[in-house]
Amino acid sequence: MTNHWDAIRRHWQLLGPPLCPPPEAVATYERELGLRSLDVVLLGVTPELAGLGRTMLAVDESPAMISGIWPGDTATRKAVAGNWLDMPVAGASMDAVIGDGCLSALGLSVARRALFAEIARVLRPDGRAGLRLYASPETPDDPRAVRTLALSGGVSTFHALKWLVAMTATGGAPDHGIPVQAILGRFDELFPDRDELCAHTGWNMPTIGTIDVYRNSPAIYSFAPVATLVHEAETFFGDVRIVATGTYGLAERCPLLVLRSPRRR
């Protein structure tokens, strides 16, 4: 997995929404969670979120991601290498936990539930969490319809297309997982001629080529429906809500999962 995230890091400058949170999504975290005066844990090192909170501790398993995309430690924020499922944080010590797409980085339902439990452990009784989702529809898209939509200019960015393609190949409940190699395989089936895709969309080849970081990667992602993620979270939180994050491309599949009233287990 470290090699997978090192490859992602090397292509980070070519990524964009919905993989990275645009300003309207970042504003949603602040509006819904009131982070300005809070001590915050960030799951991962998403640079767009690094300025949130009174203090911030970012936790990421990949030293390459920390050295490559974290905007740097300051007097009020720092990044450390660590496991999201066993964070280097005392119980009931943090005001808030935030993360961007972090649930999709976990390929198994049992891992998602373990993360919810760990978030509940580190939060104070009045703490809150916000996790932006990459959530698949309850009824999967038809792959050929996704191809047609892309070639007609109906997909905003290549990265939105990448998630649309992934969601056509995601496995069933409870995990809703997909090896990232299978995302690349489905993409190559639907778009065997990358020059054609480039010509129809205006996307450049280096951006389209970011999908090749999935080749030979052992990583497994998951794209569970919103209802599944809400159900999993409700075991660990008494107050679970879904909030829209804007109008950017694929925003309807990237809501913010807002969690309050943590339950200790």
Side-chain angles (χ1 to χ4, degrees), residues 72 172 197 232:
L197 181 61
E232 291 175 355

Side-chain angles (χ1 to χ4, degrees), residues 171-188:
D175 298 328
H176 301 280
I178 178 171
V180 298
Q181 291 187 61
I183 300 175
L184 174 61
R186 174 59 61 87
F187 173 78
D188 285 340

